[in-house]
């Protein structure tokens, strides 16, 4: 019985939360392994909407364990806010059901301040980050000066680390013309939040090892998507972590064989929020219509998402670079009623045809999509729960996409509701 990793195969917001929630009925534990509260995952269960950023999407199911792995960047204040909010929706969350890796690096207020100041300084060249401090927190991790959850329990170590951290950050703040920070500016709020977050700290690699050896099923939940991956995405318009399933093991403290089936999530079209290249972006009424019908506004920042046709070249590339075994295609219903639907099957660059997205940022911005045009369908797919309910043209569309991306569609989603999902091939049984 394979464990399953769920990852985005586009630029994020593919519907990972919905699919992880749906799949979590088959799993014992759900683990987040990268990213932070830049993520926004939406679950709709019997008409009730849950919005999660840092908490694994399995948290709403009773009797499942949720884990935040070491590969995440962890904002303790955002964590407590989210735990409080989800509890107020009637969800039971406690250290018995939710564990956070004791070696997770913290996002501090100085990180979000730096994130925002840098974006402002970039002006028109801004990345369009979520402003949550994700990039600066990962920088401190890699530079070996991060404060980690376990440090909160050791006052002497914490003080020393805050001093070292500020020696670096005050240089940056001075350079940006911003006010410098005193150790107490960090230590006081950290001391205040410590009793609330420390009870969740745990040796999660041990927990996961024990669960694995007991034959329990693990579901790894990715955030963002392949094209936002720090190596494989549209660099520098990316997030600051590896979003591909290759990071699921390292980001949770397990070996690569712990990850079995890799399920990539993609929409039946494409969206992107923030700046950066987007070859199939639509600037016309069709793009507007997709955005309206798909309710394409960000969960975290409320920003309007850019919309375009499905890019089979990009998703195929995500499948190859991320080792994706099968796809869950979401939002097929948003394409209902279009006369024709286009799919990008190649790029044109300087008179040459390409079957992949080149790494060079200037080239990525210049590639022109080569489209195949499909006849649309008039009947509704919305809420369909079986393959037989789908119009013939919709089935044709999905089958052709499978050929283009060279991977099977294992799941299809036809509305935001948990159970409006068609299972073709159970990832846990594969
Ligand atoms: P995530 O970040 O990948 O978890 O995705 P988000 O939650 O940010 O964005 C996906 C949005 O699409 C959410 O509002 C979901 O409720 C919604 N959604 C998911 N699947 C479907 C679907 O099949 N059809 C429609 N119409 N909406 C969906
Ligand atoms: P989920 O998990 C869509 C984008 C931001 C920006 C870039 C860098 O909901 O799919 P960051 O704050 O990470 O430094 O921003 O990445 N971004 C996302 N876009 N979905 C997300 O998460 C995203 N998380 C970050 O818009 O372009
Ligand atoms: Mg999202």
């Amino acid at each position: 019985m394979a464990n399953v990793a769920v990852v985005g195969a586009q630029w994020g917001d593919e519907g990972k939360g919905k699919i992880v929630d749906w799949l979590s009925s088959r799993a014992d534990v759900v683990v987040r392994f990268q990213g932070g509260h830049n993520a926004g995952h939406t679950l709709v269960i019997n008409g009730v909407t849950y919005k999660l950023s840092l908490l694994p999407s399995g948290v709403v199911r009773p009797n499942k364990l949720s884990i935040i792995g070491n590969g995440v960047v962890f904002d303790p204040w955002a964590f407590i806010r989210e735990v409080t909010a989800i509890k107020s929706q009637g969800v039971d969350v406690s250290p018995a059901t939710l564990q956070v890796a004791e070696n997770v690096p913290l996002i501090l207020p100085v990180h979000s301040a730096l994130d925002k100041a840098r974006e402002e300084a970039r002006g028109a060249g801004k990345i369009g980050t979520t402003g949550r401090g994700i990039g600066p927190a990962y920088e401190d991790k890699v530079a070996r000066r991060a404060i980690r959850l376990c440090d909160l329990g050791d006052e002497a170590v914490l003080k020393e680390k805050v001093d070292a951290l500020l020696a670096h950050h005050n240089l940056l703040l001075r350079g940006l013309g911003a006010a410098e920070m005193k150790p107490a500016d960090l230590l006081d709020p950290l001391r205040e939040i410590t009793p609330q977050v420390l009870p969740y700290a745990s040796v999660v690699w041990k927990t996961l090892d024990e669960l694995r050896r007991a034959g329990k099923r693990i579901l790894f939940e990715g955030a963002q998507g392949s094209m936002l991956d720090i190596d494989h995405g549209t660099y520098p318009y990316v997030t600051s972590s590896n979003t591909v399933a290759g990071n699921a093991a390292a980001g949770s403290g397990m070996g690569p064989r712990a990850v079995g089936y890799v399920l990539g999530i993609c929409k039946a079209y494409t969206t992107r929020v923030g700046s950066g290249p987007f070859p199939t972006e639509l600037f016309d009424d069709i793009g507007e219509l997709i955005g309206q019908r798909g309710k394409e506004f960000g969960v975290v920042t409320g920003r309007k998402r850019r919309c375009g046709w499905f890019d089979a070249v990009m998703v195929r590339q995500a499948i190859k670079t991320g080792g994706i075994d099968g796809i869950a295609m979401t939002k097929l219903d948003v394409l209902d009623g279009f006369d024709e639907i286009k799919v990008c099957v190649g790029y044109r660059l300087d008179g040459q045809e390409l079957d992949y997205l080149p790494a060079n940022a200037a080239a990525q911005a210049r590639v022109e999509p080569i489209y195949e045009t499909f006849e649309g369908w008039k009947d509704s797919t919305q809420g369909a729960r079986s393959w037989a309910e789908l119009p013939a043209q919709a089935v044709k569309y999905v089958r052709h996409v499978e050929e283009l991306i060279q991977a099977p569609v294992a799941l299809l989603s036809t509305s935001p509701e948990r159970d409006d999902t068609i299972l073709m091939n159970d990832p846990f049984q594969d």
Side-chain angles (χ1 to χ4, degrees), residues 8 11-16 32 34-42 52-53 115 119 127-136 222-225 228 236-241 271-276 299-301 303 305:
W11 277 293
D13 301 328
E14 298 92 346
K16 296 176 292 295
R32 274 284 305 271
Q34 48 71 233
H37 65 311
N38 51 346
H41 299 166
T42 317
L52 300 169
S53 282
D115 192 358
E119 282 285 271
I127 290 166
T129 71
T130 58
R132 298 293 191 266
I134 304 295
Q224 292 82 53
L228 289 169
Y237 299 98
V238 292
T239 192
S240 296
S241 64
T271 65
R272 167 162 215 174
V273 53
S275 325
V299 179
V300 174
T301 56
R303 289 179 291 177
R305 297 175 183 148

Side-chain angles (χ1 to χ4, degrees), residues 7-8 12-20 38-44 49-52 57 221-224 265 267 269 271 293-300 305 329-334 382-383 412-417 420-421:
V7 292
D13 301 328
E14 298 92 346
K16 296 176 292 295
K18 164 171 171 166
I19 300 296
V20 168
N38 51 346
H41 299 166
T42 317
L43 283 47
V44 184
T49 301
Y50 301 87
K51 290 179 187 289
L52 300 169
S57 295
E221 177 178 21
Q224 292 82 53
I265 317 296
K267 287 177 182 165
Y269 50 96
T271 65
R293 299 192 52 192
K295 300 195 173 62
E296 296 297 353
F297 291 89
V299 179
V300 174
R305 297 175 183 148
M329 184 187 275
T330 61
K331 300 194 128 174
L332 186 66
D333 54 298
V334 174
Q382 205 201 346
L412 256 182
S413 167
T414 57
S415 103
E417 258 299 332
D420 291 342
T421 306

